[in-house]
Coordinates of all heavy atoms in Angstrom, one line a residue:
M1 N 0.8 -1.2 0.0 CA 0.0 0.0 0.0 C 0.9 1.2 0.0 O 1.8 1.4 0.8 CB -0.9 0.0 1.3 CG -2.2 -0.5 1.1 SD -3.0 -0.3 2.7 CE -4.6 0.0 2.2
G2 N 0.5 2.2 -0.8 CA 1.3 3.5 -0.9 C 0.7 4.4 0.1 O -0.1 4.1 1.0
G3 N 1.2 5.6 0.1 CA 0.7 6.7 1.0 C 1.8 7.2 1.9 O 2.9 6.8 1.8
V4 N 1.4 8.0 2.8 CA 2.3 8.6 3.7 C 2.5 7.7 4.9 O 1.5 7.2 5.5 CB 1.7 10.0 4.2 CG1 2.6 10.6 5.3 CG2 1.5 10.9 3.1
P5 N 3.7 7.4 5.3 CA 3.9 6.5 6.4 C 3.4 7.1 7.7 O 3.4 8.3 7.9 CB 5.4 6.3 6.5 CG 6.0 7.3 5.5 CD 4.9 7.9 4.7
F6 N 2.8 6.3 8.6 CA 2.3 6.7 9.9 C 3.4 6.8 10.9 O 4.0 5.8 11.2 CB 1.2 5.8 10.3 CG 0.6 6.2 11.6 CD1 -0.2 7.3 11.8 CD2 0.7 5.4 12.7 CE1 -0.7 7.7 13.0 CE2 0.2 5.7 14.0 CZ -0.5 6.9 14.1
D7 N 3.7 7.9 11.5 CA 4.7 8.1 12.5 C 4.1 8.8 13.7 O 4.0 10.0 13.8 CB 5.9 8.9 11.9 CG 7.0 9.0 12.9 OD1 7.0 8.5 14.0 OD2 8.0 9.7 12.5
P8 N 3.7 7.9 14.7 CA 3.1 8.5 15.9 C 4.0 9.6 16.6 O 3.5 10.6 17.1 CB 2.9 7.3 16.8 CG 2.9 6.1 15.9 CD 3.8 6.5 14.8
A9 N 5.3 9.3 16.7 CA 6.2 10.3 17.3 C 6.1 11.6 16.7 O 6.1 12.7 17.3 CB 7.6 9.7 17.4
A10 N 6.1 11.6 15.3 CA 6.0 12.9 14.6 C 4.8 13.6 14.9 O 4.8 14.9 15.0 CB 6.2 12.6 13.1
I11 N 3.7 12.9 15.1 CA 2.4 13.5 15.4 C 2.4 14.1 16.8 O 2.0 15.3 17.0 CB 1.2 12.5 15.3 CG1 1.1 12.1 13.8 CG2 -0.1 13.1 15.8 CD1 0.1 11.0 13.6
L12 N 3.0 13.4 17.7 CA 3.1 13.9 19.1 C 4.0 15.1 19.2 O 3.8 16.0 20.0 CB 3.5 12.7 20.1 CG 2.6 11.6 20.2 CD1 3.2 10.5 21.1 CD2 1.2 12.0 20.8
D13 N 5.0 15.1 18.4 CA 5.9 16.3 18.4 C 5.2 17.5 18.0 O 5.7 18.6 18.3 CB 7.1 16.0 17.4 CG 8.2 15.2 18.1 OD1 8.2 14.9 19.3 OD2 9.1 14.7 17.3
Q14 N 4.2 17.4 17.2 CA 3.5 18.6 16.7 C 2.4 19.1 17.7 O 1.9 20.2 17.5 CB 2.8 18.3 15.3 CG 3.8 17.9 14.3 CD 4.8 18.9 14.0 OE1 4.5 20.1 13.9 NE2 6.1 18.5 14.0
L15 N 2.1 18.4 18.7 CA 1.0 18.8 19.6 C 1.5 20.1 20.4 O 2.7 20.2 20.8 CB 0.7 17.7 20.6 CG 0.0 16.5 20.1 CD1 -0.2 15.5 21.2 CD2 -1.4 16.9 19.6
A16 N 0.6 20.9 20.7 CA 0.8 22.1 21.5 C 0.8 21.8 23.0 O 1.3 22.5 23.8 CB -0.1 23.2 21.2
T17 N 0.2 20.6 23.3 CA 0.1 20.1 24.7 C 1.4 19.5 25.1 O 1.9 18.6 24.5 CB -1.0 19.1 24.8 OG1 -2.2 19.7 24.4 CG2 -1.2 18.6 26.3
P18 N 2.0 19.9 26.3 CA 3.2 19.3 26.7 C 3.0 17.9 27.2 O 2.1 17.6 27.9 CB 3.6 20.2 28.0 CG 2.9 21.4 27.8 CD 1.6 21.1 27.1
L19 N 3.9 17.0 26.7 CA 3.8 15.5 27.1 C 5.2 15.1 27.5 O 6.2 15.4 26.9 CB 3.4 14.7 25.8 CG 2.0 15.0 25.2 CD1 1.8 14.2 24.0 CD2 0.9 14.6 26.2
V20 N 5.2 14.2 28.5 CA 6.4 13.6 28.9 C 6.0 12.1 29.2 O 5.0 11.8 29.8 CB 7.1 14.3 30.2 CG1 6.2 14.2 31.4 CG2 8.4 13.7 30.5
L21 N 6.8 11.2 28.8 CA 6.6 9.8 29.0 C 7.7 9.2 29.8 O 8.9 9.5 29.7 CB 6.5 9.0 27.6 CG 5.5 9.5 26.6 CD1 5.6 8.7 25.3 CD2 4.1 9.3 27.2
L22 N 7.2 8.3 30.8 CA 8.2 7.6 31.7 C 8.3 6.2 31.2 O 7.4 5.6 30.8 CB 7.7 7.7 33.1 CG 7.4 9.1 33.7 CD1 6.8 9.0 35.1 CD2 8.6 10.0 33.6
D23 N 9.5 5.6 31.5 CA 9.7 4.2 31.2 C 9.2 3.4 32.4 O 8.7 3.9 33.4 CB 11.1 3.9 30.8 CG 12.1 4.1 31.9 OD1 11.7 4.2 33.1 OD2 13.3 4.2 31.5
D24 N 9.4 2.0 32.3 CA 9.0 1.2 33.4 C 9.7 1.4 34.7 O 9.2 1.0 35.8 CB 9.2 -0.3 33.0 CG 8.3 -0.7 31.9 OD1 7.2 -0.1 31.7 OD2 8.6 -1.7 31.2
D25 N 10.8 2.1 34.7 CA 11.6 2.4 35.9 C 11.3 3.8 36.4 O 12.0 4.4 37.2 CB 13.1 2.2 35.7 CG 13.4 0.8 35.4 OD1 12.8 -0.1 36.0 OD2 14.3 0.6 34.5
A26 N 10.2 4.4 35.8 CA 9.8 5.8 36.2 C 10.9 6.8 35.9 O 11.1 7.8 36.6 CB 9.4 5.9 37.7
R27 N 11.6 6.5 34.8 CA 12.7 7.5 34.3 C 12.1 8.2 33.0 O 11.3 7.6 32.3 CB 14.0 6.8 33.9 CG 14.6 6.2 35.2 CD 16.0 5.6 34.9 NE 16.7 5.2 36.1 CZ 17.3 6.1 36.9 NH1 17.5 7.3 36.5 NH2 17.9 5.7 38.0
I28 N 12.5 9.3 32.8 CA 12.0 10.1 31.6 C 12.6 9.5 30.3 O 13.8 9.5 30.1 CB 12.4 11.6 31.7 CG1 11.8 12.2 33.0 CG2 12.0 12.4 30.5 CD1 12.3 13.5 33.4
A29 N 11.7 9.0 29.5 CA 12.0 8.3 28.3 C 11.9 9.2 27.1 O 12.6 9.1 26.1 CB 11.2 7.1 28.1
W30 N 10.9 10.2 27.1 CA 10.7 11.0 26.0 C 9.8 12.2 26.4 O 9.0 12.1 27.3 CB 9.9 10.2 24.9 CG 9.5 11.0 23.7 CD1 10.3 11.2 22.6 CD2 8.3 11.7 23.5 NE1 9.6 12.0 21.7 CE2 8.3 12.3 22.2 CE3 7.1 11.8 24.3 CZ2 7.3 13.0 21.7 CZ3 6.1 12.6 23.7 CH2 6.2 13.2 22.5
A31 N 10.0 13.3 25.7 CA 9.1 14.5 25.9 C 9.0 15.2 24.5 O 9.9 15.1 23.7 CB 9.6 15.4 26.9
N32 N 7.8 15.8 24.3 CA 7.7 16.5 23.1 C 8.2 18.0 23.2 O 8.5 18.4 24.3 CB 6.2 16.5 22.6 CG 5.3 17.3 23.5 OD1 5.6 17.7 24.5 ND2 4.0 17.4 23.0
P33 N 8.4 18.6 22.0 CA 8.9 20.0 22.1 C 8.1 21.0 22.9 O 8.6 21.9 23.5 CB 8.9 20.4 20.6 CG 9.1 19.1 19.9 CD 8.3 18.1 20.7
A34 N 6.8 20.7 23.0 CA 5.9 21.6 23.8 C 6.3 21.5 25.3 O 6.2 22.5 26.0 CB 4.4 21.2 23.6
F35 N 6.7 20.3 25.7 CA 7.1 20.2 27.1 C 8.4 21.0 27.3 O 8.5 21.7 28.3 CB 7.3 18.7 27.4 CG 7.9 18.5 28.8 CD1 7.0 18.5 29.9 CD2 9.2 18.3 29.0 CE1 7.5 18.3 31.2 CE2 9.7 18.1 30.3 CZ 8.9 18.1 31.4
A36 N 9.3 20.9 26.4 CA 10.6 21.6 26.5 C 10.3 23.1 26.6 O 10.9 23.8 27.4 CB 11.5 21.3 25.4
R37 N 9.4 23.6 25.8 CA 9.1 25.0 25.8 C 8.5 25.4 27.1 O 8.8 26.5 27.7 CB 8.2 25.4 24.6 CG 8.9 25.5 23.3 CD 8.1 26.0 22.2 NE 6.8 25.3 22.0 CZ 6.7 24.2 21.2 NH1 7.8 23.8 20.5 NH2 5.6 23.6 21.0
W38 N 7.5 24.6 27.5 CA 6.8 24.9 28.7 C 7.6 24.9 30.0 O 7.5 25.8 30.8 CB 5.7 23.8 28.8 CG 4.8 24.0 30.0 CD1 3.8 25.0 30.2 CD2 4.7 23.1 31.1 NE1 3.2 24.7 31.4 CE2 3.7 23.6 32.0 CE3 5.3 21.9 31.4 CZ2 3.3 22.9 33.1 CZ3 4.9 21.3 32.6 CH2 4.0 21.8 33.5
I39 N 8.6 23.9 30.1 CA 9.4 23.8 31.3 C 10.6 24.7 31.2 O 11.2 25.0 32.2 CB 9.8 22.3 31.5 CG1 10.1 22.0 33.0 CG2 10.9 21.9 30.7 CD1 8.9 22.1 33.9
G40 N 11.0 25.1 30.0 CA 12.1 26.0 29.9 C 13.5 25.4 29.7 O 14.5 26.0 29.8
Y41 N 13.5 24.1 29.5 CA 14.7 23.3 29.3 C 14.5 22.3 28.1 O 13.4 21.9 27.9 CB 15.1 22.5 30.5 CG 15.4 23.3 31.8 CD1 14.4 23.4 32.8 CD2 16.6 23.9 31.9 CE1 14.7 24.1 33.9 CE2 16.9 24.6 33.1 CZ 15.9 24.7 34.1 OH 16.2 25.4 35.2
A42 N 15.6 22.0 27.5 CA 15.6 20.9 26.5 C 15.3 19.6 27.2 O 15.8 19.4 28.2 CB 16.9 20.8 25.7
W43 N 14.4 18.8 26.6 CA 14.0 17.6 27.3 C 15.2 16.6 27.5 O 15.2 15.8 28.4 CB 12.8 16.9 26.7 CG 13.1 16.1 25.5 CD1 13.1 16.4 24.2 CD2 13.4 14.7 25.5 NE1 13.5 15.4 23.4 CE2 13.7 14.3 24.2 CE3 13.6 13.7 26.5 CZ2 14.0 13.0 23.8 CZ3 14.0 12.4 26.1 CH2 14.2 12.1 24.8
R44 N 16.1 16.7 26.6 CA 17.3 15.8 26.7 C 18.1 16.0 28.0 O 18.8 15.1 28.4 CB 18.2 16.0 25.4 CG 17.6 15.3 24.2 CD 18.4 15.6 23.0 NE 17.8 15.0 21.8 CZ 16.7 15.5 21.1 NH1 16.2 16.7 21.5 NH2 16.2 15.0 20.1
R45 N 17.9 17.2 28.5 CA 18.6 17.4 29.8 C 18.1 16.4 30.9 O 18.8 16.1 31.8 CB 18.3 18.8 30.3 CG 18.8 19.1 31.7 CD 18.4 20.5 32.1 NE 18.9 20.7 33.5 CZ 18.9 21.9 34.1 NH1 18.5 23.0 33.4 NH2 19.3 22.0 35.3
F46 N 16.8 16.0 30.7 CA 16.2 15.1 31.7 C 16.1 13.6 31.2 O 15.7 12.8 32.0 CB 14.8 15.6 32.0 CG 14.7 16.9 32.6 CD1 14.2 18.0 31.8 CD2 15.2 17.2 33.8 CE1 14.2 19.3 32.3 CE2 15.2 18.5 34.3 CZ 14.7 19.5 33.6
H47 N 16.5 13.4 30.0 CA 16.4 12.0 29.4 C 17.1 11.0 30.3 O 18.3 11.2 30.6 CB 16.9 12.0 28.0 CG 16.8 10.6 27.3 ND1 17.8 9.8 27.1 CD2 15.6 10.0 26.9 CE1 17.4 8.7 26.6 NE2 16.0 8.8 26.4
G48 N 16.4 10.0 30.7 CA 17.0 8.9 31.5 C 17.0 9.2 33.0 O 17.4 8.4 33.8
E49 N 16.7 10.4 33.4 CA 16.6 10.8 34.8 C 15.4 10.3 35.4 O 14.3 10.1 34.8 CB 16.7 12.3 34.9 CG 18.0 13.0 34.5 CD 19.1 12.6 35.4 OE1 18.9 12.5 36.6 OE2 20.3 12.5 34.9
P50 N 15.4 10.0 36.7 CA 14.2 9.6 37.4 C 13.1 10.8 37.4 O 13.5 12.0 37.4 CB 14.6 9.4 38.9 CG 16.0 9.8 39.0 CD 16.5 10.1 37.6
A51 N 11.9 10.4 37.3 CA 10.8 11.4 37.3 C 10.9 12.4 38.4 O 10.4 13.5 38.3 CB 9.4 10.7 37.2
A52 N 11.5 11.9 39.5 CA 11.6 12.8 40.7 C 12.4 14.1 40.4 O 12.2 15.1 41.2 CB 12.3 12.0 41.8
V53 N 13.2 14.2 39.3 CA 13.8 15.5 39.1 C 12.8 16.5 38.7 O 13.2 17.7 38.7 CB 14.9 15.3 38.0 CG1 16.0 14.4 38.3 CG2 14.3 15.0 36.6
L54 N 11.6 16.1 38.3 CA 10.6 17.1 38.0 C 9.7 17.5 39.2 O 8.9 18.4 39.1 CB 9.7 16.5 36.9 CG 10.3 16.2 35.6 CD1 9.3 15.6 34.6 CD2 10.9 17.5 34.9
A55 N 10.0 16.8 40.3 CA 9.2 17.0 41.5 C 9.5 18.4 42.1 O 10.6 18.9 41.9 CB 9.4 15.9 42.5
A56 N 8.5 18.9 42.7 CA 8.6 20.3 43.2 C 8.8 20.3 44.8 O 8.2 21.1 45.5 CB 7.4 21.1 42.9
G57 N 9.7 19.4 45.2 CA 9.9 19.4 46.7 C 8.9 18.6 47.5 O 8.9 18.6 48.7
D58 N 7.9 18.0 46.8 CA 7.0 17.2 47.5 C 7.0 15.8 46.9 O 7.7 15.5 46.0 CB 5.6 17.8 47.6 CG 5.0 18.1 46.2 OD1 5.3 17.3 45.2 OD2 4.3 19.1 46.0
D59 N 6.1 14.9 47.4 CA 6.1 13.5 46.8 C 4.9 13.2 46.0 O 4.6 12.1 45.8 CB 6.3 12.5 48.0 CG 5.1 12.5 48.9 OD1 4.3 13.4 48.9 OD2 5.0 11.6 49.8
M60 N 4.2 14.3 45.5 CA 3.0 14.0 44.7 C 3.3 13.2 43.4 O 2.5 12.3 43.1 CB 2.3 15.4 44.4 CG 1.6 16.0 45.5 SD 0.3 15.1 46.2 CE -0.9 15.1 44.9
L61 N 4.3 13.6 42.8 CA 4.7 12.9 41.5 C 5.0 11.4 41.8 O 4.6 10.5 41.1 CB 5.8 13.6 40.8 CG 6.3 13.0 39.5 CD1 5.1 12.9 38.5 CD2 7.4 13.8 38.9
A62 N 5.8 11.2 42.9 CA 6.2 9.8 43.3 C 4.9 9.0 43.6 O 4.8 7.8 43.3 CB 7.1 9.8 44.5
Q63 N 4.0 9.6 44.3 CA 2.7 9.0 44.6 C 1.9 8.6 43.4 O 1.3 7.5 43.3 CB 1.9 9.8 45.6 CG 2.4 10.0 47.0 CD 1.5 10.9 47.8 OE1 0.4 11.2 47.5 NE2 2.1 11.4 48.9
L64 N 1.9 9.5 42.4 CA 1.2 9.3 41.2 C 1.8 8.1 40.4 O 1.1 7.2 40.0 CB 1.2 10.5 40.3 CG 0.5 10.4 39.0 CD1 -1.0 10.3 39.2 CD2 0.8 11.6 38.1
V65 N 3.1 8.0 40.3 CA 3.8 6.9 39.7 C 3.5 5.6 40.4 O 3.2 4.6 39.8 CB 5.3 7.2 39.6 CG1 6.1 6.0 39.1 CG2 5.6 8.4 38.6
A66 N 3.6 5.6 41.7 CA 3.3 4.4 42.5 C 1.9 3.9 42.3 O 1.7 2.7 42.1 CB 3.6 4.7 44.0
R67 N 0.9 4.8 42.3 CA -0.5 4.4 42.0 C -0.6 3.8 40.7 O -1.3 2.8 40.5 CB -1.4 5.6 42.2 CG -1.9 5.9 43.6 CD -3.1 6.8 43.6 NE -3.0 7.9 42.7 CZ -2.9 9.2 43.0 NH1 -3.0 9.5 44.3 NH2 -2.9 10.1 42.1
A68 N 0.0 4.4 39.6 CA -0.1 3.9 38.3 C 0.5 2.5 38.2 O -0.1 1.6 37.6 CB 0.6 4.8 37.3
R69 N 1.6 2.3 38.8 CA 2.2 0.9 38.8 C 1.4 -0.1 39.6 O 1.2 -1.2 39.2 CB 3.6 1.0 39.5 CG 4.7 1.6 38.6 CD 6.0 1.5 39.4 NE 7.1 1.8 38.5 CZ 8.3 1.9 38.8 NH1 8.6 1.8 40.1 NH2 9.2 2.2 38.0
E70 N 0.9 0.3 40.8 CA 0.1 -0.5 41.6 C -1.2 -1.0 40.9 O -1.6 -2.1 40.9 CB -0.3 0.2 42.9 CG -1.2 -0.5 43.8 CD -1.5 0.3 45.0 OE1 -0.5 0.7 45.8 OE2 -2.7 0.7 45.2
R71 N -1.9 -0.1 40.2 CA -3.1 -0.3 39.5 C -2.9 -0.9 38.1 O -3.8 -1.5 37.5 CB -4.0 0.9 39.5 CG -4.4 1.4 40.8 CD -5.1 2.7 40.7 NE -5.4 3.2 42.0 CZ -6.0 4.4 42.2 NH1 -6.3 5.2 41.2 NH2 -6.2 4.8 43.5
G72 N -1.8 -0.7 37.5 CA -1.5 -1.1 36.2 C -2.3 -0.3 35.1 O -2.5 -0.8 34.0
I73 N -2.7 0.9 35.5 CA -3.5 1.7 34.6 C -3.0 3.2 34.8 O -2.4 3.5 35.7 CB -5.0 1.6 34.8 CG1 -5.3 2.0 36.3 CG2 -5.5 0.2 34.5 CD1 -6.8 2.2 36.5
A74 N -3.4 4.0 33.8 CA -3.1 5.4 34.0 C -3.9 6.0 35.1 O -5.1 5.6 35.3 CB -3.4 6.1 32.6
V75 N -3.3 6.9 35.8 CA -4.1 7.6 36.9 C -4.0 9.1 36.5 O -3.1 9.6 35.8 CB -3.5 7.3 38.3 CG1 -3.7 5.9 38.6 CG2 -2.0 7.7 38.3
R76 N -4.9 9.9 37.1 CA -4.9 11.3 36.8 C -4.7 12.1 38.1 O -5.2 11.8 39.2 CB -6.3 11.6 36.2 CG -6.4 13.1 35.8 CD -7.7 13.2 34.9 NE -8.0 14.6 34.6 CZ -7.3 15.3 33.7 NH1 -6.4 14.8 33.0 NH2 -7.7 16.6 33.5
A77 N -4.0 13.2 37.9 CA -3.7 14.2 39.0 C -3.8 15.6 38.5 O -2.9 16.1 37.9 CB -2.4 13.9 39.7
P78 N -5.0 16.3 38.7 CA -5.0 17.7 38.3 C -4.1 18.6 39.1 O -4.0 18.4 40.3 CB -6.5 18.0 38.4 CG -7.1 17.0 39.4 CD -6.2 15.8 39.3
R79 N -3.6 19.6 38.4 CA -2.7 20.6 39.1 C -1.5 20.0 39.8 O -1.2 20.4 40.9 CB -3.5 21.4 40.0 CG -4.6 22.3 39.4 CD -4.2 23.6 38.9 NE -3.5 24.5 39.9 CZ -2.8 25.5 39.5 NH1 -2.5 25.7 38.2 NH2 -2.2 26.2 40.4
L80 N -0.8 19.1 39.2 CA 0.4 18.5 39.7 C 1.5 19.5 39.6 O 1.7 20.1 38.5 CB 0.8 17.2 39.0 CG 2.1 16.5 39.4 CD1 1.8 15.9 40.8 CD2 2.4 15.4 38.5
R81 N 2.2 19.8 40.7 CA 3.2 20.8 40.7 C 4.5 20.2 40.1 O 5.0 19.2 40.6 CB 3.5 21.4 42.1 CG 4.3 22.6 42.2 CD 4.2 23.2 43.6 NE 5.4 23.8 43.9 CZ 6.1 23.7 45.0 NH1 5.6 22.9 46.0 NH2 7.2 24.4 45.2
I82 N 5.1 20.9 39.1 CA 6.3 20.4 38.4 C 7.3 21.6 38.6 O 7.0 22.7 38.3 CB 6.1 20.2 36.9 CG1 5.0 19.2 36.7 CG2 7.4 19.8 36.2 CD1 5.3 17.8 37.1
A83 N 8.5 21.3 39.1 CA 9.5 22.3 39.2 C 10.9 21.7 39.2 O 11.5 21.4 40.3 CB 9.3 23.1 40.5
P84 N 11.5 21.6 38.0 CA 12.9 21.1 38.0 C 13.9 22.1 38.6 O 15.0 21.7 39.0 CB 13.2 20.8 36.5 CG 12.2 21.7 35.8 CD 11.0 21.8 36.7
A85 N 13.5 23.3 38.6 CA 14.3 24.4 39.3 C 13.2 25.4 39.8 O 12.2 25.6 39.2 CB 15.2 25.1 38.2
S86 N 13.5 25.9 41.0 CA 12.5 26.7 41.6 C 12.0 27.9 40.8 O 10.8 28.3 40.9 CB 13.0 27.2 43.0 OG 14.1 28.0 42.8
E87 N 12.8 28.4 40.0 CA 12.4 29.6 39.1 C 11.5 29.1 37.9 O 11.0 29.9 37.2 CB 13.6 30.4 38.7 CG 14.5 29.7 37.6 CD 15.5 28.9 38.2 OE1 15.6 28.6 39.4 OE2 16.4 28.4 37.4
H88 N 11.4 27.8 37.7 CA 10.6 27.3 36.6 C 9.4 26.5 37.1 O 8.9 25.7 36.4 CB 11.5 26.4 35.7 CG 12.5 27.2 34.9 ND1 13.8 27.5 35.3 CD2 12.3 27.8 33.7 CE1 14.4 28.2 34.4 NE2 13.6 28.4 33.4
E89 N 8.9 26.8 38.2 CA 7.7 26.1 38.7 C 6.5 26.2 37.7 O 6.2 27.3 37.2 CB 7.3 26.6 40.1 CG 6.1 25.9 40.7 CD 5.8 26.4 42.0 OE1 6.4 25.9 43.0 OE2 4.9 27.3 42.1
R90 N 5.9 25.1 37.5 CA 4.7 25.0 36.6 C 3.7 24.0 37.2 O 4.1 23.2 38.1 CB 5.1 24.4 35.2 CG 6.2 25.2 34.5 CD 5.6 26.5 33.9 NE 6.6 27.1 33.1 CZ 7.5 28.0 33.5 NH1 7.5 28.4 34.7 NH2 8.3 28.6 32.6
F91 N 2.5 24.1 36.8 CA 1.5 23.2 37.2 C 0.9 22.4 36.0 O 0.7 23.0 35.0 CB 0.3 23.9 38.0 CG 0.8 24.5 39.3 CD1 1.4 25.7 39.4 CD2 0.6 23.7 40.4 CE1 1.8 26.2 40.6 CE2 1.1 24.2 41.6 CZ 1.7 25.5 41.7
A92 N 0.6 21.1 36.2 CA 0.2 20.3 35.1 C -0.9 19.3 35.6 O -1.0 19.0 36.7 CB 1.4 19.5 34.6
D93 N -1.7 18.9 34.6 CA -2.6 17.8 34.8 C -1.9 16.6 34.4 O -1.4 16.5 33.3 CB -3.9 18.0 34.0 CG -4.8 19.1 34.5 OD1 -4.6 19.5 35.7 OD2 -5.7 19.5 33.7
A94 N -1.8 15.6 35.3 CA -1.0 14.4 35.0 C -1.9 13.2 34.9 O -2.8 13.1 35.6 CB 0.0 14.1 36.1
T95 N -1.7 12.4 33.9 CA -2.4 11.2 33.6 C -1.5 10.1 33.4 O -0.5 10.2 32.8 CB -3.3 11.3 32.4 OG1 -4.2 12.4 32.6 CG2 -4.2 10.1 32.2

């Protein structure tokens, strides 16, 4: 079959919504350009780092990751505080 090849990563890269994906060890595996713009850093700075580097001095992100692993499904957390550096604090809805 001809046509344009389907490339999900290319589609996700075009979204205006910031996305970050964690691997099975809760390490940052990928983020789209919107995430990098939103957080103020190139996502590669965080590639392979534990998700905890995005935590804002509390354990909400760790709790979210633990719940997702425990349940084996996506979980949602509205207004999750993200702050890799105090001057770059942001709030996100996490799923």
